[in-house]
Every structure is written in structure tokens, then in C-alpha cells.
Amino acid sequence: MNIIVCVKRVPLTQEVDLEIDESGKKIKEDALAYVINDWDNYAIEAAVQLQENLGGEVTAITIGSEDDEEVLRRALAMGADRAVRIDPGELVTDGYLDATILAKTISGLEYDLIFTGVQSEDRNTGMVGIMLAEQLGLAHAAVTNGIEAEEKAAKVFVELEGGIDEVSRIQLPALLTIQTGINEPRYVSIMGIRKAKKKELKVMTLDDLGFGAEALTPQTQIEEVFLPPETEGAEMIEGDAATIAETLIRIMGEKGVTV
Amino acid sequence: MTSFQTLAVNGNDGITGYVFMWIIAVVALTIFAFIIRSRIDLLLASQKDPRFSNLKRRFRDLINYGFIQKRQPRYLWAGIIHIMIFWGFVVLGLRSLDLVTEGLGLPIFRPFMQSPLGAFYSSLKDVFELIVLVACVWAILRRAIVRPERYEGSHKAEAYLVLGLISFLMVTDMLFEGSGMLLAGEMHGWLPAAWIGTLLLPARSPEALSVILSVTYWLHILAFFLFLNLLPLFKHFHIITALPNVFFRKLKKGEIKPARYGVDDIFDLEKLGVEKIEDFTWKHILDLYTCTECGRCSDNCPANAIGRPLSPKLLTIKLRDHAYQKYPILPASGACKGDEEPVNMVNGIIGLDELWSCTTCGACEEECPVFIEYINKIIDMRRHVLETSQNPNTFNQILMYVEKTGNPFGKPAVKRADWLKEQEVEGVKILKEGDQVDVLYYVDGYASFDPQSQQIAASIAKGLKLAGMDFGILGKLEKDTGHQVRRMGEEGLFQVLVEENTETLKSVDFKWIVTTDPHAYNALKNDYPEPYRVFHYTQFFLSLVETGHLRPKNAVDRKDLYTYHDPCYLGRHNGIYDEPRRLLQSIPDLRLVEMARNRDRSFCCGGGDVMLWHEIEQEEMRMAEKRIQMALDVGATVLVTACPFCLIHFEDTIKTGGLEERIRVVDLMTLFMSSLENPEP
Ligand SMILES: Cc1cc2nc3c(=O)[nH]c(=O)nc-3n(C[C@H](O)[C@H](O)[C@H](O)COP(=O)(O)OP(=O)(O)OC[C@H]3O[C@@H](n4cnc5c(N)ncnc54)[C@H](O)[C@@H]3O)c2cc1C
Ligand code: SF4
Ligand code: SF4
């Protein structure tokens, strides 16, 4: 079972006071710490677990700069066999371009399954996986939280609203967007990541992939980025636990909730 | 004059006895060498460990702890018994050699024995024979009747066998010498043991006496060689290995060993940590050989006390049993050394939660009379667990946060100095590269971000200001010292943190480092390669009081009774017991009482590393709960500590236990600040 996993490096934004840069179209990124996209961490783990059980090879791919290789080395340390980085140069991609570049890269590879995360922590559009499947002409399942793979097919569990799982069979090759919680991603130590430097990491440019400039026009344009306006109405409830509880019950009552 | 030995061996002439003795000695020593070989094999297969530094100190410790046995009386009666037997062995060693060499026809000690000094020695030996006999009988009775709990899980039959054998050696020698004297018809000097022997013997029958003389001699000799060969099989190997083990003891407490000795860059290593028995260092193998199974370690282990699946003694016994199985005396019994493992040692013989149960409090090592190390072994096994991704899942995010943001909360580095605002502390210098101060206050992660611990940081900053100190903090340049990650087994991350923090500390000019947290203090002092002049705040503020920079004026309520909890990394690991107490007592009217477990017998609060992020399910109560009970037992109403983690554990337990009415916990720094006349400068 050969599996390709698309991974992305994203900023760690929890508790960061995000600032918009001068252009008004971007967030200031210089002071941010970067990590692997949480969903992709689960996707790698899912791929590695399948490979451990069924054999085959796992390839991790990212579109990004040299700094982004960190997430590939992480994937290699978790058990991926090889990694590919596509250097987009000066090109600023959107979800559509990411899918296009990935599709071109992957079309030259052998695979049974492609995993992406459901979405990425930075843009959260949730588009790349599905568009990639479309471009490769593959069947896909989105928000996958369980996989039982066989030779030529897989049983997939997909999360629906209200905690309901939909179970279906999918013909391989196929693409699955992986939901967090599908497994428990293993820890890879700093030592493990350093050691993974010995594994193959191939770097390709857009030229190597044979893209002409005109083919790569983003389909989304960011007009403006702004922080959500601070709204009125947050009421800080003061006092000891009993007073706080009482106030809460009163407010909920006023809003029509009976406790 | 013919010696009794010669008489016993050969009657009055002939050489058959000598031949017999030579046969016994050669056979016994050959078997002994054969047994010892497998023990040495494992020592040779294990890892490097440089233990020859500071020889002067080593010899001093050998005298104090090896010969004077200073740690023995920590358990008074057992200690006294042991000292009696130990000194008996030291004195009787010469006697045994004399008995054997005479029997071999090489009476090399005879001139000495027949000198006046020899006569004195004989009396001394006789006294010790009685002392040892009494001690052995006493020990047997203690084991059989008192049955101290700490012997649970020890090899009991072995203990009885060896105690019995020692008693047998004493009795045979008494009877041997007694019958000799009766035959000779005179007392040789003052020999109380032999004299008692004579009382038991048929004084009027020379025939019977000479038979007894021979029989007791040979029984004694046989028992002696049997004893020698039993030693390496059982816990009594310590009779041979304990003195070397004490000599090669770990000298620097608080420090964690490197992943591999003699390797500069751990990233050059193929693997980290201990997976197989051979991955331990030779000293740690010697530890296994040496453990006396006395159970003092487990008796003091807080993890064991609250029902976690860890007993240090059993950890050693299990590892030793495994080692002996893997390196058997008879090679035919299916040994497989090296790579093929029939069972997992880690996550098999030693359970994962057994490893995570340890708080690295050091109580076991403080107690062990033969200086067996636990923390380094446990961390070494944890390293393997972490490198093979068998760690608790809760660690993943914590470690990722520490790596990416420098703190376990994942708070952005730029917010590291925000506690100043949050705690309304003004005028604290946030250092930049190239800045110069006298005191660099190393806040560390918890005191920077955890609201409860921030109060300690605020008090320290205010106190330093009040004392007119020229000081600053590193703000976003500071990262956690890595104390925790190292003890969680993430050595690679620890090394990265050391590198980064060392760079940062190089970039500013300071005289002293002061820390909030005993763990950060320990890391900077013992784990970091640079020799910083680092102080815990308790030390630093005591010196500020003693040099008149600060003067506590406000008295505390005399109704309150204070007790001080020694944080493990301040007390046991760094010997700072008096400074916090003196600082406390500088506060007017403060009444201090000691808990039953204090100073080097302090009882861990629950720990400042793994326990913050991993719960051991198999637990009867929390450590903090037990500790608070100890404070209540002495009537304390205020529990003072000097570590953010202790504060967190205790406060939490007081709240969940509904004990607010009976006791409160306070950090020493906060308490001290409130005693200053004008705490807001
Ligand atoms: C478990 C779960 C949790 C989620 N949590 C969140 C959340 O916290 N926040 C969030 O923003 N989103 C969340 N989502 C996503 C979101 O609720 C829906 O998935 C999304 O709004 C549906 O849009 P879609 O176009 O992808 O879906 P589809 O289900 O494909 O909807 C298609 C839409 O196309 C139209 N359509 C389809 N068929 C026809 C037809 N025959 N004729 C005419 N029109 C048609 C309808 O307008 C229909 O609504 C969650 C989804 C799941 C499953
Ligand atoms: S260090 Fe403390 S917790 Fe760990 S084994 Fe020793 S006594 Fe027990
Ligand atoms: S390790 Fe030390 S304290 Fe523990 S049982 Fe062995 S000898 Fe006793």
C-alpha cells in the first residue's frame, strides 16, 4: 500500500495577538512559531500505521520554502519513507494552486491512497484535499475518522453532523481528507527528527514540474484582512463561586433557558 | 608450638590434611571464578561511566559510608545490627585467612598470631565472634517476628540461609578453639568466645575433643568456602561489591547523566536511552549486584507510599533477576546475550507506568546505605520509551510547545514578561543583548505564565527592587531551562534548550543568577555545562537579610504555627535546608515546627515534572494529600514551601480536600515580602 500524504507547516496562533501588516492583506508572521498542521499530523500517523500493517511506502509532500522542510523531516521521523518539497519560489499560492501543484507532482508517482488533512489551521478553507481529488480524477471521502484498508478498496468512516458516522467502501486509488482524532499521533523526538535527515528529501521547482507561468493564476484574491471588530456585550461576572453561579442562572433565565 | 589448625588438619603428623585442604581450596576457588565470570561478562558488556574523578572525596566517602557506615543508623536497630556484623567481618577476615593458610600448610600469619599483638587480636576476634553471633540471631528474630514491611518482596530464604551460615561459622570457630584449648589444657589469653565453647564441650574426654577439633575445623572451612560461593548468587554479593559501589558513587546530586558518556554530540548516537540490560553503565550494573534488598529505598519512596506501581527495591530486584537470567552461570541454560531479547526489559519486565511513577525526588538515593542510583536508571529507560514513541500522549503537545515557544503552555515567547503587567510590578529591566546587570533573575516558565506562581515572581522582583539590587529579567529571550523535558526523557530537546539558553546567557553580562524555582536552579547549577553562580531565591534573600539590605519587621500572627516543606530539588538534590529555615525565622513572631519527615527525609509534593502532565491511575491518594496530613499531624496551620510546583500541588489538594479551614499553603517568598515594612517600593 503506497500512500502519499500532503503536509503543511502552519503558524502556532493560540494566544498570539495577531497583527495585520502594512499591506492590510496579510498577517505579520515574523514573530510566530511554526508547527505541523494538526490535521496533517494525524494524516501522517494514519499513513504510517497502514504502512506498518500492510507494507508499502509513504511519501510526504509539502509546497513551501526550505524552512518548511521541518514538517517533512517530522513526517520522515514518524515513519514516512521519502519526502518531496516543491519550492514555489516567489509564487503566492491559494488552495486552488496548492491543489494544482500537488496534482502535477503526484501524477508522476505511484500510489493507492492520498491523505490530506481536512483543513489547515491557518486558512481553514478545507478545499485542497477535495480539489486535489477532483484534479486527479479520484474518488474521495472528506472528514475521515476511520480507515480499514484492503487490497483494492477501503472501508472509510466519515464524520457527519451530530456525531454520526457514515461508513462506506471506496475503490482505490482514492483520496481521503483526515480528521483529527482518527488516531493518536506518535511523538517524534528531536533526536528522531535529526536522524530523519538521512532519509531521502527531494526538492523540486515549479519548472521541474513543467508549469508555465500562465497556468498558475490564483483563483482567490484577498482584498483585506482585518481582526474581528471588538463587540460590546461581554459582561464579566464578578464575585465568589456562589454569586457567579446565581448570576449565570439569572442571565440564562433571561435568555429563555430554563435550568 | 603447633597451632590448633595444624593439629586439626593433620593430627600430630602426616600430610593428608594439607592435600585435602588444597583440593577444597582449589575446587572452591575455581567454582567461584566460574560464577564471577558471568558477572564480569555483563560488566564488560555494559556502557562506559567515568567514576574516577575526585579521588580524595571518594576515599573520604568510602571511610564514612563504607567503613563507618554512616547511613546505617538512619534505621537505628537494623543499622546497629549491620554495623556489628560488618565490623565482625572486617576483624574476622584475618582469622579466616589464618585458618585457611594454616590448613594449606602455609602458616604465614602464625608469627603475627603468636606475637603479643596477635594475642590482642585473638581476644578482639573472639569478642567480635560473639557480637556477630548475637547480631545474626537478633537479625533472624527481627525478620521472623517483627517482620518490617520494607522486606516485602526481598528474597527471604536467602537472608535466613546466609544469617544461619554466618552463625554456623561463628559457632564452629568457638567450638574449634574451645576444644583446642581444652586439649592443650590451658587458656590462650582472654578468649571469651572460645571460653563459652569450652563450657559446651566434654572437657574430660581427649578423644572426643580431638574429633570435635577436627570436625569443627573442617565444617568451618567448608562453610567458609560455601559462603564464598553463595555470595555472588544472592543479595549477599554486596559483601564483595558494596565497598566498591560506595567508592564509585555518584558525587554530584541533582545531575542527570548524559545519554552516553564520552559522546560529545548525542545526535551522533544511533539510539538514546536504555532498552537492554547492556545499555546500562557498568556502575548501574554494579548497583544491581550490590543491592542488599534492605528496602530502605522503597520505605521512603513517595510513589510507593501512595500506591503507585513503583517500588525502587523491586525495580532493582527485577532488573537483577533479569540480568542473572540473561548472563547465567551455566551457559547451557539457554542464555541469549546481546540483541535477541526473549522479553522486553522496558515495557515488559519494567512497566511504563512504573517508570512514569517516579518523581525523581531522590528519597531512595538519599537513604540507600550502599548508594544505589535510581533516578539516572529511570531517566535512561524513559529516554528509550520516548525515543520509541511509547510515552503518554499528553506529553506530545507539552514537548512540542516547549520546543516551539520555550514554555509548556504554548504561550508566545513575546508574552513571557507579561507577568510584570499582570502582577503590576513596575520598573523591572527587560534585558537585551549586551546589557549589564548584577543579578539576572531567571523566572522560568511556570512563574512567568502560571497565575499562582506569578505571585512568587512578583514578590521576588519587588524584593530585589526593595533591596536596591541592580537586576533584570530576560523576557522573550528566556526559555525554560529544560529541567522537565530532560526528566521526561526528551534528551534531544533538552540539549537544544541548553544550547539556546547558554547562547542567551552569554549575550548578557551578569554576576549572579537568581531563580524562582528549585528545578530551574538545579538545572542551571547541575545540568548546564557553564559554571554559573546561581542561587535559589531563598539563599539570595537570606544573604540580603544577613547583610542588612532587607529587614523583616511585620510580625505574623502568633496563633499560626508554621511548618516548612523541603522541596526535593532544593533540599535533597542541593543540600539547601538551612537557608529557607533561617529566612523564615527572620520573620518576627514566626513559630516554626518540623514535620516528622523533614530535611533529607522530606516527602515529595507530587513533583515538578512528569506528574504535571501524566496521571498514574493506580494511586490511592495524592502525594500532596499525604504531605499535608503530615503537616496537620504536627498541628501546623501554615505550610510554607519554596517551589511553584509544591505550591500548586498543595493548594490544589487543600481546595479539593476542603481543608481551607485547617491549613493554608504559602510560598516562602510571598510570606517574606509581606513581613517587610514597606513592601511596595
Ligand atoms: C461533524 C461536522 C462538524 C462541522 N463543524 C463545522 C463548524 O464548526 N463550523 C463550520 O463552519 N462548518 C462546520 N461543518 C461544515 C458544515 O456544517 C457543512 O459541511 C457545510 O456547511 C456544508 O457545505 P457543503 O457545500 O460542503 O456541503 P453539502 O452537504 O454538499 O451541501 C451542499 C449544498 O449544496 C446545495 N445542494 C445540494 N444538493 C442540491 C440539490 N440537489 N439541489 C439544490 N441544491 C443542492 C444545498 O444548498 C446544500 O446545502 C461541519 C461538518 C461536519 C460534518
Ligand atoms: S526518586 Fe523518589 S519517586 Fe523516584 S524511585 Fe526514588 S524515591 Fe521513588
Ligand atoms: S537499593 Fe539500596 S536501599 Fe534499596 S533495597 Fe537496595 S540496598 Fe536497600
Side-chain angles (χ1 to χ4, degrees):
Chain A
M1 179 113 349
N2 294 325
I3 308 173
I4 289 167
V5 192
C6 305
V7 294
K8 183 180 189 184
R9 184 166 167 264
V10 296
L12 193 63
T13 51
Q14 76 155 6
E15 301 208 39
V16 175
D17 302 323
L18 290 175
E19 287 176 57
I20 315 288
D21 78 355
E22 297 73 37
S23 72
K25 297 185 179 185
K26 258 179 76 202
I27 284 160
K28 280 191 189 164
E29 292 176 343
D30 42 353
L32 297 175
Y34 285 83
V35 294
I36 184 160
N37 178 33
D38 202 26
W39 278 269
D40 301 349
N41 201 23
Y42 288 88
I44 302 165
E45 179 66 35
V48 171
Q49 284 185 10
L50 280 180
Q51 178 236 38
E52 281 168 355
N53 292 332
L54 304 169
E57 294 201 325
V58 174
T59 307
I61 304 183
T62 194
I63 304 169
S65 65
E66 210 174 320
D67 287 341
D68 295 310
E69 281 182 10
E70 180 195 339
V71 293
L72 291 180
R73 274 196 295 272
R74 217 192 133 73
L76 292 170
M78 284 176 80
D81 301 281
R82 68 170 65 88
V84 181
R85 174 170 71 87
I86 300 127
D87 198 324
E90 296 301 304
L91 182 74
V92 180
T93 62
D94 62 354
Y96 168 74
L97 284 189
D98 287 338
T100 310
I101 296 167
L102 289 171
K104 189 88 162 222
T105 317
I106 291 171
S107 60
L109 302 173
E110 267 184 39
Y111 57 87
D112 302 289
L113 277 168
I114 300 173
F115 289 171
T116 71
V118 166
Q119 65 205 69
S120 58
E121 286 171 82
D122 51 356
R123 293 201 297 235
N124 281 305
T125 60
M127 300 192 294
V128 172
I130 301 164
M131 285 199 284
L132 176 59
E134 187 61 26
Q135 294 205 24
L136 289 169
L138 293 178
H140 83 269
V143 203
T144 309
N145 63 5
I147 309 162
E148 288 169 15
E150 299 147 21
E151 263 294 283
K152 283 274 150 255
K155 193 154 131 194
V156 293
F157 299 72
V158 163
E159 184 183 337
L160 301 181
E161 301 280 1
I164 300 167
D165 270 4
E166 179 187 77
V167 187
S168 40
R169 272 174 74 81
I170 194 164
Q171 285 308 118
L172 304 188
L175 182 144
L176 308 179
T177 76
I178 304 295
Q179 173 67 319
T180 53
I182 184 174
N183 50 41
E184 291 190 337
R186 68 196 69 191
Y187 181 72
V188 282
S189 66
I190 300 292
M191 172 89 171
I193 293 175
R194 298 255 176 124
K195 284 258 158 309
K197 278 188 177 150
K198 286 185 195 142
K199 289 189 179 175
E200 178 190 329
L201 194 160
K202 194 158 117 189
V203 182
M204 299 172 86
T205 61
L206 296 177
D207 284 347
D208 295 340
L209 288 170
F211 280 113
E214 70 292 345
L216 292 168
T217 321
Q219 301 292 298
T220 32
Q221 257 180 345
I222 294 172
E223 288 292 333
E224 192 191 350
V225 173
F226 56 90
L227 297 170
E230 276 186 40
T231 49
E232 299 282 311
E235 183 189 340
M236 299 306 285
I237 304 171
E238 312 258 326
D240 61 16
T243 331
I244 292 175
E246 237 166 76
T247 321
L248 273 176
I249 290 170
R250 177 179 53 76
I251 295 174
M252 289 196 285
E254 285 165 10
K255 305 274 177 205
V257 182
T258 41
V259 196
Chain B
M1 189 180 72
T2 332
S3 65
F4 297 155
Q5 294 73 321
T6 323
L7 215 58
V9 173
N10 291 331
N12 286 316
D13 52 4
I15 54 159
T16 28
Y18 291 138
V19 175
F20 201 46
M21 186 64 160
W22 274 99
I23 293 172
I24 294 176
V26 168
V27 169
L29 290 176
T30 310
I31 295 175
F32 182 73
F34 190 73
I35 296 173
I36 282 289
R37 194 220 55 213
S38 64
R39 303 288 181 255
I40 290 175
D41 266 1
L42 174 54
L43 282 174
L44 293 177
S46 55
Q47 305 299 314
K48 271 194 207 151
D49 197 341
R51 297 275 178 164
F52 287 94
S53 62
N54 210 340
L55 288 179
K56 221 169 105 191
R57 164 111 192 260
R58 290 189 185 283
F59 279 111
R60 208 178 55 221
D61 286 354
L62 181 66
I63 291 178
N64 280 331
Y65 298 107
F67 288 100
I68 301 179
Q69 307 236 307
K70 271 197 176 160
R71 278 190 172 182
Q72 280 294 347
R74 287 172 74 98
Y75 281 72
L76 193 61
W77 292 118
I80 291 173
I81 295 178
H82 191 273
I83 293 176
M84 286 162 70
I85 298 180
F86 171 79
W87 274 100
F89 272 51
V90 171
V91 172
L92 295 170
L94 179 60
R95 166 68 171 175
S96 298
L97 284 177
D98 180 45
L99 289 180
V100 173
T101 46
E102 287 271 352
L104 292 170
L106 308 166
I108 45 178
F109 296 104
R110 197 182 295 171
F112 169 76
M113 290 297 176
Q114 290 177 352
S115 72
L117 204 58
F120 170 72
Y121 169 77
S122 295
S123 297
L124 189 70
K125 161 224 88 173
D126 246 40
V127 170
F128 270 101
E129 229 161 53
L130 290 176
I131 289 177
V132 169
L133 188 59
V134 168
C136 283
V137 173
W138 187 358
I140 291 173
L141 293 178
R142 246 175 67 83
R143 279 179 179 269
I145 298 165
V146 185
R147 292 194 201 191
E149 217 176 295
R150 62 192 165 89
Y151 295 140
E152 202 55 49
S154 302
H155 294 93
K156 295 197 189 71
E158 288 171 27
Y160 285 125
L161 175 65
V162 168
L163 287 169
L165 205 51
I166 298 172
S167 309
F168 185 75
L169 282 167
M170 300 305 120
V171 172
T172 45
D173 197 35
M174 285 163 71
L175 294 177
F176 161 71
E177 187 130 61
S179 51
M181 287 194 313
L182 286 174
L183 278 173
E186 56 171 317
M187 296 295 279
H188 293 250
W190 184 71
L191 298 172
W195 176 75
I196 292 176
T198 59
L199 299 182
L200 304 170
L201 291 164
R204 267 172 252 281
S205 158
E207 297 75 31
L209 283 176
S210 41
V211 172
I212 292 172
L213 182 78
S214 277
V215 168
T216 51
Y217 177 79
W218 287 113
L219 283 177
H220 185 89
I221 291 295
L222 285 172
F224 171 80
F225 281 113
L226 176 67
F227 187 64
L228 180 70
N229 276 304
L230 285 180
L231 293 183
L233 300 180
F234 303 142
K235 72 187 182 99
H236 287 86
F237 204 9
H238 80 265
I239 292 172
I240 297 171
T241 59
L243 291 176
N245 210 57
V246 170
F247 182 79
F248 292 121
R249 65 173 283 209
K250 175 182 177 187
L251 292 180
K252 200 167 157 196
K253 288 187 190 175
E255 175 193 48
I256 298 294
K257 73 178 271 290
R260 280 276 182 278
Y261 283 106
V263 175
D264 285 336
D265 188 354
I266 62 157
F267 297 112
D268 294 340
L269 285 169
E270 261 319 304
K271 58 175 215 167
L272 281 185
V274 165
E275 178 187 8
K276 301 182 276 113
I277 195 85
E278 297 87 354
D279 294 334
F280 283 120
T281 76
W282 66 264
K283 173 59 177 56
H284 289 169
I285 299 292
L286 190 64
D287 277 353
L288 302 183
Y289 293 169
T290 306
C291 175
T292 70
E293 300 184 8
C294 71
R296 297 176 182 215
C297 49
S298 298
D299 201 30
N300 286 278
C301 170
N304 188 48
I306 59 158
R308 285 190 189 162
L310 167 66
S311 151
K313 179 188 77 178
L314 290 183
L315 187 113
T316 292
I317 293 181
K318 286 193 281 183
L319 287 175
R320 174 163 64 195
D321 288 349
H322 170 62
Y324 286 1
Q325 218 168 23
K326 203 170 170 189
Y327 286 77
I329 291 156
L330 301 172
S333 56
C336 52
K337 293 171 199 170
D339 293 329
E340 323 146 45
E341 289 286 302
V343 275
N344 279 347
M345 185 178 84
V346 178
N347 194 11
I349 293 166
I350 306 298
L352 292 183
D353 263 357
E354 191 169 353
L355 295 177
W356 298 121
S357 286
C358 172
T359 65
T360 72
C361 74
C364 48
E365 298 185 3
E366 192 70 32
E367 209 64 48
C368 179
V370 289
F371 290 86
I372 282 164
E373 290 162 35
Y374 281 101
I375 300 172
N376 271 329
K377 289 194 196 99
I378 289 175
I379 303 279
D380 247 345
M381 289 188 272
R382 284 181 182 175
R383 284 171 176 156
H384 164 71
V385 171
L386 194 107
E387 292 302 328
T388 48
S389 312
Q390 301 177 74
N391 56 293
N393 257 302
T394 42
F395 289 7
N396 297 11
Q397 193 178 44
I398 304 295
L399 293 171
M400 185 267 277
Y401 282 156
V402 174
E403 180 199 344
K404 297 296 180 179
T405 64
N407 67 79
F409 306 97
K411 304 262 187 179
V414 289
K415 293 193 171 178
R416 199 158 174 120
D418 282 9
W419 61 272
L420 292 172
K421 263 183 283 159
E422 287 156 27
Q423 297 290 327
E424 296 169 9
V425 185
E426 274 161 21
V428 173
K429 236 188 270 176
I430 301 179
L431 302 172
K432 297 181 309 300
E433 232 171 82
D435 281 354
Q436 193 184 353
V437 276
D438 286 342
V439 179
L440 187 146
Y441 171 32
Y442 206 101
V443 191
D444 218 26
Y446 260 75
S448 296
F449 293 110
D450 172 69
Q452 228 169 319
S453 318
Q454 279 181 356
Q455 295 170 13
I456 312 172
S459 297
I460 292 176
K462 286 176 188 167
L464 289 171
K465 258 169 67 182
L466 204 62
M469 288 287 115
D470 169 31
F471 78 104
I473 62 170
L474 287 167
K476 67 175 178 195
L477 296 179
E478 181 190 289
K479 294 192 166 192
D480 278 26
T481 55
H483 170 95
Q484 277 99 6
V485 298
R486 184 166 224 199
R487 281 152 189 81
M488 288 160 93
E490 183 29 313
E491 185 66 13
L493 181 53
F494 175 72
Q495 292 301 336
V496 170
L497 289 168
V498 170
E499 210 171 292
E500 290 172 346
N501 283 325
T502 308
E503 270 311 299
T504 305
L505 289 171
K506 231 181 247 164
S507 73
V508 287
D509 196 348
F510 61 88
K511 288 191 193 136
W512 310 294
I513 299 180
V514 172
T515 73
T516 327
D517 167 357
H519 300 81
Y521 168 77
N522 181 71
L524 290 168
K525 186 166 167 245
N526 296 322
D527 281 337
Y528 275 50
E530 296 289 321
Y532 300 120
R533 296 174 68 193
V534 45
F535 299 91
H536 184 252
Y537 79 72
T538 49
Q539 298 174 293
F540 201 78
F541 277 88
L542 180 69
S543 72
L544 290 177
V545 170
E546 291 182 343
T547 51
H549 285 79
L550 292 173
R551 195 162 294 124
K553 273 250 171 74
N554 303 336
V556 291
D557 193 339
R558 283 201 62 84
K559 283 210 291 289
D560 275 325
L561 189 55
Y562 288 77
T563 191
Y564 174 70
H565 163 78
D566 290 277
C568 307
Y569 275 91
L570 209 52
R572 264 191 302 265
H573 287 294
N574 288 293
I576 302 172
Y577 299 114
D578 292 325
E579 291 92 327
R581 287 179 170 78
R582 269 155 59 199
L583 189 61
L584 260 176
Q585 275 162 334
S586 73
I587 300 173
D589 280 359
L590 189 137
R591 297 191 303 138
L592 189 64
V593 63
E594 291 289 353
M595 288 180 267
R597 300 193 70 103
N598 61 58
R599 300 173 73 97
D600 62 6
R601 276 221 174 127
S602 181
F603 188 87
C604 183
C605 70
D609 31 73
V610 172
M611 282 320 125
L612 296 164
W613 303 295
H614 177 54
E615 226 172 286
I616 305 285
E617 278 172 24
Q618 191 189 328
E619 200 179 89
E620 287 149 18
M621 69 191 319
R622 296 173 64 182
M623 275 179 204
E625 204 180 326
K626 206 162 179 107
R627 187 55 166 163
I628 288 169
Q629 193 52 52
M630 296 178 198
L632 290 171
D633 286 348
V634 292
T637 57
V638 186
L639 176 58
V640 185
T641 180
C643 164
F645 302 106
C646 301
L647 186 69
I648 292 171
H649 285 299
F650 289 144
E651 194 135 291
D652 211 39
T653 307
I654 288 177
K655 273 194 194 134
T656 50
L659 295 167
E660 291 101 328
E661 300 290 307
R662 300 179 62 193
I663 197 164
R664 62 177 202 276
V665 57
V666 60
D667 188 89
L668 177 48
M669 192 61 217
T670 326
L671 179 66
F672 175 72
M673 272 312 283
S674 65
S675 77
L676 297 178
E677 193 173 24
N678 193 0
E680 294 297 332

